[in-house]
Amino acid sequence: MLASMSELNALPCSFAAGTTVVYRRSLANYRANDGWTLTLYLRGVSVLTSAGAASGADHVVTLTAAATGPLGAGTYLWTERVTKAAEAYDVASGTVVVEPNLATATAGQLQSWEEKELAKVEAALEQLFTTGHTSYQIHGRAVTFTEPTELLKIRDSLVTRIQRRQRGGKMRTIRYKFTGASEE
């Protein structure tokens, strides 16, 4: 999700680790100028707690880039809790998706398991087709390749799974039209 320049009034559905998130909460029953404080709790792969700042009657929650930077990608549970003296109430909760920090990702780090395995299968196929051998031994270490037909099935399965993920989990629709053969 790309950030909008308009002010947010709630935690967004998703944001990237390493980015700043600022939103303003107006809570009629728990006004900041009446002494209420709001704290956001994120719990998931990592944890983050952020106290809101008073801005008149509103609470402004700021998650700095430095605070979100260490968050691991994944789905987090969150809750907003207001407190005043000995009182504490959860006023909102939900889930938020923290996307990976593309600015700090290393080569291959964000590849799916299927993409990594596809590269291995294709390398094995290339080796097999280049040498024509299904096994070999060097200095007492043996390597045996799967039969080409099995490797091709695995490759096709991985390609299908990768393409499905790229389409958001949807199956590809192929329409066929069958026409009857004319009899003479």
Side-chain angles (χ1 to χ4, degrees):
M1 177 184 104
L2 296 177
S4 169
M5 295 311 289
S6 63
E7 184 174 80
L8 300 174
N9 59 11
L11 185 65
C13 296
S14 67
F15 63 88
T19 61
T20 302
V21 177
V22 180
Y23 68 96
R24 177 182 298 270
R25 292 286 278 139
S26 298
L27 303 168
N29 295 330
Y30 308 103
R31 298 162 41 101
N33 56 2
D34 288 339
W36 290 96
T37 59
L38 177 112
T39 303
L40 171 70
Y41 298 94
L42 284 178
R43 299 297 185 261
V45 176
S46 309
V47 297
L48 176 63
T49 302
S50 182
S55 177
D58 297 339
H59 306 273
V60 177
V61 178
T62 302
L63 306 178
T64 65
T68 66
L71 293 177
T75 301
Y76 287 72
L77 296 174
W78 64 266
T79 192
E80 292 174 336
R81 182 170 291 171
V82 292
T83 56
K84 179 179 175 182
E87 295 181 78
Y89 304 100
D90 290 342
V91 293
S93 62
T95 60
V96 62
V97 175
V98 176
E99 301 291 343
N101 186 343
L102 296 181
T104 60
T106 58
Q109 180 181 1
L110 301 179
Q111 279 188 304
S112 68
W113 173 85
E114 291 87 355
E115 290 168 322
K116 291 175 184 176
E117 292 304 306
L118 179 60
K120 293 175 188 175
V121 168
E122 288 179 339
L125 280 167
E126 183 177 342
Q127 176 70 26
L128 180 60
F129 291 138
T130 301
T131 65
H133 300 294
T134 58
S135 65
Y136 62 90
Q137 186 170 350
I138 300 175
H139 298 295
R141 297 191 69 164
V143 176
T144 302
F145 294 108
T146 304
E147 289 297 317
T149 54
E150 289 301 313
L151 282 173
L152 289 168
K153 285 180 188 176
I154 293 168
R155 183 182 67 71
D156 291 347
S157 174
L158 291 169
V159 167
T160 299
R161 290 170 70 169
I162 292 166
Q163 289 173 343
R164 186 175 302 147
R165 178 175 288 122
Q166 291 170 344
R167 290 189 302 272
K170 296 179 181 163
M171 300 288 284
R172 189 173 81 201
T173 303
I174 300 173
R175 298 188 191 276
Y176 291 98
K177 182 176 181 181
F178 295 98
T179 58
S182 63
E183 293 183 27
E184 296 186 29

